[in-house]
Amino acid sequence: MTRVGFYVIQSGEPGERLSVAMRLTDKAFQQGHRIYINAADRQQAEILNEQLWHFRPESFLPHAISGNEEAESPITIGWGQDPGSNCDLLINLQLDVPAFFSRFQRVAEVVTQDAESLSALRASWKFYQERGYQMEKHDL
């Protein structure tokens, strides 16, 4: 069954969500996971794509935007497209639970301290909890 982790940031800055998502991606990639980052929209996906190229100058995070020929990369960035079945970690940056979440072994939800994010992700917590998913909370 899918395990769900909520990564709670003590900041309301929107850029913090992307920063945490990139750190989670880096750590998961180093551990051999295949990752699908579910961005809020195409614009956020493009920002993530650019930032991942420069995230850590001493390392390389092979990634691609969903739909590109390189989409078989260990790290795929999309914004709601069907992720297929080749990834085991979903990093969800949308404010609702994607219909395909249960295909993944793990889901990471990134929570910031702005009103919209808090409200939406409290609803997500309740959604997962009511369905019996294993939940973890990580204060960052």
Side-chain angles (χ1 to χ4, degrees):
M1 179 178 261
T2 303
R3 290 178 27 214
V4 183
F6 281 78
Y7 294 82
V8 182
I9 308 164
Q10 299 307 311
S11 168
E13 296 297 317
E16 286 297 311
R17 291 188 88 213
L18 299 184
S19 177
V20 168
M22 288 186 292
R23 290 191 340 239
L24 291 171
T25 300
D26 182 44
K27 182 176 180 181
F29 175 73
Q30 301 307 326
Q31 295 174 347
H33 294 281
R34 296 185 62 82
I35 303 130
Y36 183 81
I37 304 172
N38 191 38
D41 52 32
R42 182 182 190 102
Q43 179 181 6
Q44 188 181 63
E46 295 289 347
I47 291 168
L48 277 164
N49 180 48
E50 183 63 31
Q51 289 183 353
L52 281 171
W53 284 114
H54 307 288
F55 179 62
R56 287 185 37 199
E58 69 278 2
S59 70
F60 174 65
L61 296 174
H63 64 282
I65 298 271
S66 183
N68 291 352
E69 66 244 16
E70 303 92 14
E72 289 301 315
S73 173
I75 302 167
T76 305
I77 306 166
W79 55 95
Q81 299 93 325
D82 187 311
S85 60
N86 65 337
C87 296
D88 60 320
L89 171 63
L90 167 65
I91 298 175
N92 186 35
L93 296 175
Q94 293 189 355
L95 293 180
D96 50 0
V97 177
F100 50 75
F101 80 93
S102 63
R103 294 185 197 171
F104 295 84
Q105 293 173 8
R106 300 218 42 194
V107 173
E109 297 277 2
V110 182
V111 183
T112 52
Q113 299 302 309
D114 62 282
E116 182 182 12
S117 175
L118 283 172
S119 176
L121 289 162
R122 283 183 181 129
S124 295
W125 177 279
K126 186 176 179 181
F127 173 89
Y128 292 122
Q129 189 176 47
E130 286 175 348
R131 286 155 182 80
Y133 288 93
Q134 182 180 345
M135 312 279 288
E136 300 168 348
K137 179 179 176 259
H138 307 277
D139 292 312
L140 305 178

